[in-house]
Amino acid sequence: MGKITPFLMFEGNAEEAMNYYTSLFEQSEITSISRYGANEAGKEGSVMKATFTIKGQEFMCTDSAITHEFTFTPSISLYITCDTEEEIDRLYENLTQGGGVLMPLGDYSFSKKFGWIVDKFGVSWQLNLPS
């Protein structure tokens, strides 16, 4: 069996999301993009399949050619362990823009500083600065 890779399904903004995420995190890049062509299932030029990395973790994504009655849910989230207070504050500020707060950034019994948010694309993030 090969490795397990998280796969994110967007509805028309996969490339925007990848560009956004890779701009926020060091050691992050878009590694491949294949696009829908003319007369294919998806909108021409949109992302058929792409791969990108965030801090070395590989992700895959697509712009779904089909409209679904569902989207992302906080039941699955991306958990980030931050190294510094500056890093967690910067990520929290950026990822909450256009999104929402599930747990405000604060000192919780299990963490020196923690926040749980949903970004403008609907992806859920847990940001942690350990004690």
Side-chain angles (χ1 to χ4, degrees), residues 8-25 28-30 33 47 50-54 59-63 72 78 95 119-123 125:
L8 305 174
M9 184 181 69
F10 296 91
E11 292 184 335
N13 54 3
E15 189 166 7
E16 179 186 357
M18 286 188 297
N19 284 324
Y20 184 64
Y21 299 148
T22 57
S23 76
L24 292 178
F25 295 94
S28 302
E29 66 179 335
I30 297 171
I33 300 177
V47 175
T51 57
F52 64 102
T53 62
I54 298 176
F59 291 82
M60 295 174 69
C61 69
T62 189
D63 280 320
F72 297 109
L78 304 179
L95 289 169
D119 70 22
K120 63 185 175 182
F121 303 104
V123 176
W125 299 80

Side-chain angles (χ1 to χ4, degrees), residues 9-11 36 41-43 63-70:
M9 184 181 69
F10 296 91
E11 292 184 335
Y36 289 107
K43 179 182 174 190
D63 280 320
S64 179
I66 301 165
T67 301
H68 297 279
E69 295 297 319
F70 57 86

Side-chain angles (χ1 to χ4, degrees), residues 6-102:
F7 191 96
L8 305 174
M9 184 181 69
F10 296 91
E11 292 184 335
N13 54 3
E15 189 166 7
E16 179 186 357
M18 286 188 297
N19 284 324
Y20 184 64
Y21 299 148
T22 57
S23 76
L24 292 178
F25 295 94
E26 295 176 7
Q27 303 169 354
S28 302
E29 66 179 335
I30 297 171
T31 52
S32 70
I33 300 177
S34 60
R35 301 177 188 284
Y36 289 107
N39 303 315
E40 291 187 322
K43 179 182 174 190
E44 185 175 1
S46 65
V47 175
M48 181 186 299
K49 184 173 92 174
T51 57
F52 64 102
T53 62
I54 298 176
K55 295 190 76 81
Q57 169 65 52
E58 185 177 58
F59 291 82
M60 295 174 69
C61 69
T62 189
D63 280 320
S64 179
I66 301 165
T67 301
H68 297 279
E69 295 297 319
F70 57 86
T71 186
F72 297 109
T73 170
S75 295
I76 297 287
S77 59
L78 304 179
Y79 191 94
I80 306 292
T81 300
C82 298
D83 294 325
T84 65
E85 194 156 355
E86 182 277 332
E87 181 181 36
I88 195 170
D89 290 343
R90 180 182 57 79
L91 290 173
Y92 185 87
E93 180 182 329
N94 282 284
L95 289 169
T96 56
Q97 290 178 11
V101 174
L102 300 174

